[in-house]
Amino acid sequence: MARTVIPFGPQHPVLPEPVHLDLVIEDEKVVEARPSIGFIHRGLEKLAEKKDYNEFLFVAERICGICSAIHGQTYCQAVETLMNVSVPPRAVYLRTIWGELSRIHSHLLWLGLMADGMGFENLFMHSWRIRERVLNIIEATTGARVIFGVCKVGGVRRDIEPDAIPGILAELDSIEKDMRDVTKVFLNDKSVKARLCGVGVVSKQEAWDLGAVGPMLRASGVAQDMRTLGYAAFSDIPVVPITRTEGDCYARCAVRCEELFQSVEIIRQAFNRIPPGEIAIKVTGNPAGETITRTEQPRGEVVYHLKANGTKHLQRFRVRTPTFANLPVMLKILPGCDLADVPMIVLTIDPCISCTER
Amino acid sequence: MSPDAIDIVPLEALLERVKEKRDRGCRLVQISAARLPEGVEVTYSFDLKNRLSNVRVLLPDDGTRLPSISAIFGCAVLYENEIQDLFGVGIDGLALDFKGKFYRTTVRFPFGSTKAPAPPPAPPAATAAAGPPQNTN
Amino acid sequence: MGYFQMSRLALKWALTKPPTSRYPFEPRKVIPGSRGRLVFTKDNCVYCTVCAKRCPTGALLVHRAEKKWAIDRLRCISCGYCVEVCPKKSLELAGDHAAPVAARAREFT
């Protein structure tokens, strides 16, 4: 059988960001996938040597446009660990609330892209219509739509006024209702199922061995969620990881659909328990020491490795983003699939290439 | 995480240590490198039941090569290519070697290179310029 | 179950007013508290240059001697760091956004 090499990307209708794959095709089956990344490497890790640790927060938040809130939060947590700062409880709750709002908007964005990828334009529009309502809540509380810019070392920059909370909760209820309608289509529609069920199956062992994280790992039956580590307000609000056992594209889609409602529930609980008080404390001095901080982003576990030597610049700032960890799994499941299924498989890892290359 | 969870091992013992982690069923979380005045420090993080454990080796600046762990953890390939491209560390036995084409950076080895003469003890920003002749493509 | 999951949703929204606004004809609704355009009030500024030093993107330029304050709108990321550090409170983020521009330029005040 003759082999053909088909380039996939860096520009492709399903790819929001540039990644390139050389697909070796035999008939209609992929036999090998060779990745090539590095189109949008911006050298952000190197930039840590030029910006002081407070200014670098703005860079850390811009590693990625979609998981920005949790990047900012993780960076602050890591620096606070280095400086032995304990953040006021109200700030911790606010960070949790914003983090979960960002998870909802990220998952809705992904669901939309997924629908778009399989040619279900109507569903795509509806996912993004709901996402817009989430973004409105975010803009009203933080002042920006996707790059929140509310975290700072020692706390948060803004407070959510107590009289604004009932309005937000009412809006969330209505968003939840809308999300039920849309996720029902994702989970039950015959054409969606035909496109996703049994495509790109990863077994539990394979996913673990290849270092998969986030929904990718949970869809294969491993109950791993960094929120169970109890960072931020998750020490008071327990999180039970949502898992599926099938390990196919449909399972990954279902995990993300269910996480939407989990996040809504977390936000409700956080608003119920949010303590009054300060939202930030003054931080003086420079960080020193080393820390590895892990949090759960919409796409999975993110690892921040910070080394500081007592100057205002960090000695080393290193981020391992969830997509980077999920790429090996993607390369593992591509061989053997149909060419037409490649876009679906690439999309279900929720590729965030800016994150990956920093 | 407290820094004492970091296990500093000599370079020869690295593969054995990583194999041990693998046998215990750990997941490779990340490999990160950092440039220190005396060389490049490579940290391997593993996760088991949400507990993080780290193995660390120090590569001196005399062109010492790092053995690849990609035969033990397949997913290490990407991390190792990244370290090869950004830090100029030579890596032996990579399962998939991009040969310096993984990251397309204008400055070759932005974090300096172990193959070059040891970078002068200058402020960190200057180490980038201390790399080998710059790639002009 | 199965085949007509979407039709109900589609039908409902076909009969509802579109949630989008007709943008150029209808201005964007300003959400209160949004971080938008950076506004400079000349009156109490002492030209201490703290804002220019702290700006993460280098969008601000302050001439102490000539008493000039300038901003490059395309560089500004509306992060609000300058507003925080200004000792005289002469900077403020307005809720609306700056008008689109085609070229990079510094606006002097």
Side-chain angles (χ1 to χ4, degrees):
Chain A
M1 180 76 66
R3 290 191 167 191
T4 329
V5 178
I6 294 187
F8 180 86
Q11 292 293 329
H12 189 277
V14 305
L15 288 175
E17 288 173 288
V19 64
H20 177 85
L21 293 171
D22 276 320
L23 300 171
V24 182
I25 308 288
E26 212 167 70
D27 203 4
E28 280 281 302
K29 290 267 181 227
V30 178
V31 288
E32 199 193 333
R34 295 186 218 122
S36 145
I37 67 164
F39 295 95
I40 39 173
H41 174 67
R42 292 157 292 166
L44 296 185
E45 292 184 351
K46 186 78 185 162
L47 200 58
E49 295 168 4
K50 294 198 178 135
K51 300 261 172 212
D52 78 33
Y53 73 92
N54 274 321
E55 279 172 17
F56 196 72
L57 170 62
F58 299 111
V59 180
E61 283 192 322
R62 282 162 179 78
I63 288 174
C64 172
I66 302 300
C67 9
S68 163
I70 302 183
H71 268 302
Q73 183 188 346
T74 317
Y75 177 78
C76 291
Q77 270 180 4
V79 175
E80 283 150 8
T81 318
L82 289 180
M83 302 179 78
N84 277 325
V85 173
S86 58
V87 182
R90 189 172 176 88
V92 161
Y93 269 83
L94 287 170
R95 281 181 186 178
T96 311
I97 290 165
W98 282 317
E100 291 312 306
L101 280 170
S102 96
R103 193 180 314 275
I104 298 177
H105 101 71
S106 171
H107 280 350
L108 283 170
L109 175 110
W110 179 82
L111 286 172
L113 289 176
M114 189 71 189
D116 184 44
M118 60 187 150
F120 206 150
E121 295 298 324
N122 205 337
L123 193 52
F124 155 64
M125 294 292 179
H126 281 290
S127 305
W128 283 33
R129 170 178 59 78
I130 304 170
R131 174 172 177 260
E132 207 57 32
R133 301 179 63 186
V134 181
L135 291 181
N136 282 343
I137 298 184
I138 294 172
E139 185 170 358
T141 52
T142 69
R145 280 161 53 91
V146 283
I147 312 249
F148 300 6
V150 278
C151 279
K152 68 172 179 183
V153 177
V156 290
R157 289 174 206 277
R158 282 189 186 216
D159 199 356
I160 299 180
E161 297 303 325
D163 32 319
I165 293 175
I168 296 173
L169 286 174
E171 178 72 0
L172 264 181
D173 287 344
S174 138
I175 288 173
E176 192 185 19
K177 217 171 127 263
D178 265 9
M179 290 196 305
R180 288 250 179 248
D181 286 346
V182 166
T183 50
K184 224 185 262 168
V185 182
F186 274 101
L187 297 176
N188 300 328
D189 189 87
K190 204 119 189 174
S191 55
V192 176
K193 274 186 155 173
R195 194 84 173 86
L196 299 180
C197 284
V199 173
V201 180
V202 199
S203 70
K204 190 174 176 177
Q205 193 57 38
E206 252 176 1
W208 180 262
D209 285 349
L210 287 167
V213 294
M216 193 84 187
L217 190 55
R218 292 197 281 276
S220 296
V222 184
Q224 194 236 35
D225 189 318
M226 283 306 123
R227 286 176 287 177
T228 52
L229 287 179
Y231 68 87
F234 294 114
S235 46
D236 306 338
I237 303 170
V239 177
V240 181
I242 289 167
T243 55
R244 300 284 284 209
T245 46
E246 301 93 323
D248 57 358
C249 289
Y250 179 77
R252 298 193 270 275
C253 185
V255 164
R256 290 188 175 103
C257 286
E258 282 168 42
E259 282 186 4
L260 288 172
F261 303 107
Q262 185 188 32
S263 294
V264 171
E265 195 44 48
I266 291 172
I267 296 171
R268 281 202 196 110
Q269 287 196 29
F271 271 129
N272 270 338
R273 295 178 181 201
I274 189 164
E278 287 285 295
I279 57 161
I281 52 164
K282 205 170 155 50
V283 177
T284 49
N286 289 323
E290 184 171 0
T291 180
I292 297 179
T293 303
R294 297 191 291 170
T295 56
E296 185 75 16
Q297 272 193 342
R299 287 163 184 77
E301 164 206 49
V302 65
V303 183
Y304 269 57
H305 181 187
L306 261 64
K307 267 172 94 81
N309 51 6
T311 57
K312 62 177 182 172
H313 300 283
L314 293 171
Q315 189 185 9
R316 175 78 172 120
F317 167 78
R318 193 251 191 281
V319 190
R320 198 280 276 132
T321 54
T323 307
F324 200 96
N326 280 332
L327 279 179
V329 196
M330 183 188 90
L331 298 177
K332 170 82 187 169
I333 51 181
L334 281 177
C337 75
D338 276 338
L339 179 61
D341 288 335
V342 172
M344 287 298 103
I345 294 174
V346 172
L347 265 180
T348 47
I349 75 160
D350 202 352
C352 182
I353 309 300
S354 305
C355 264
T356 309
E357 301 178 12
R358 306 168 306 276
Chain B
M1 189 217 59
S2 59
D4 53 337
I6 297 175
D7 206 354
I8 302 175
V9 300
L11 199 55
E12 305 81 57
L14 173 70
L15 288 181
E16 194 188 308
R17 237 358 136 67
V18 173
K19 186 94 200 342
E20 196 183 291
K21 297 276 180 201
R22 165 84 207 212
D23 293 343
R24 280 173 48 203
C26 291
R27 175 174 64 92
L28 179 69
V29 172
Q30 64 139 2
I31 305 177
S32 95
R35 174 150 294 277
L36 303 181
E38 62 271 22
V40 174
E41 183 188 79
V42 185
T43 313
Y44 299 78
S45 309
F46 301 92
D47 168 280
L48 186 64
K49 299 197 175 103
N50 277 351
R51 290 285 296 270
L52 203 63
S53 59
N54 304 282
V55 173
R56 169 172 289 177
V57 290
L58 182 76
L59 282 177
D61 258 337
D62 53 6
T64 312
R65 295 172 71 84
L66 184 72
S68 168
I69 63 160
S70 55
I72 308 168
F73 283 100
C75 55
V77 169
L78 296 182
Y79 299 108
E80 287 175 341
N81 273 295
E82 179 182 270
I83 294 171
Q84 178 169 291
D85 290 3
L86 298 184
F87 287 83
V89 173
I91 296 180
D92 288 324
L94 270 173
L96 176 68
D97 192 351
F98 284 83
K99 300 201 164 57
K101 294 275 191 286
F102 192 54
Y103 278 99
R104 293 145 218 249
T105 47
T106 36
V107 178
R108 203 147 178 239
F109 311 135
F111 289 91
S113 160
T114 47
K115 283 169 223 148
T127 40
Q134 295 191 355
N135 201 351
T136 44
N137 8 329
Chain C
M1 201 72 186
Y3 284 104
F4 294 103
Q5 290 294 320
M6 193 65 204
S7 346
R8 245 190 60 229
L9 195 62
L11 195 67
K12 180 184 156 198
W13 282 94
L15 302 172
T16 325
K17 208 171 138 269
T20 46
S21 68
R22 292 164 48 78
Y23 168 62
F25 312 107
E26 225 177 87
R28 183 178 186 259
K29 218 169 53 210
V30 174
I31 294 185
S34 183
R35 294 199 311 268
R37 192 166 48 93
L38 184 64
V39 185
F40 172 65
T41 326
K42 209 171 176 173
D43 308 344
N44 40 5
C45 179
V46 291
Y47 300 92
C48 64
T49 72
V50 169
C51 54
K53 270 188 205 134
R54 292 294 185 86
C55 178
T57 56
L60 302 179
L61 189 71
V62 180
H63 284 303
R64 193 191 293 250
E66 296 155 44
K67 293 206 182 298
K68 281 260 162 74
W69 183 93
I71 179 170
D72 182 342
R73 293 273 176 213
L74 287 185
R75 268 181 202 272
C76 177
I77 53 171
S78 295
C79 62
Y81 200 32
C82 50
V83 179
E84 233 169 80
V85 296
C86 180
K88 291 285 171 191
K89 303 273 168 275
S90 50
L91 291 169
E92 188 189 0
L93 284 175
D96 59 333
H97 292 263
V101 285
R104 195 158 274 219
R106 284 192 195 274
E107 261 173 52
F108 278 93
T109 322

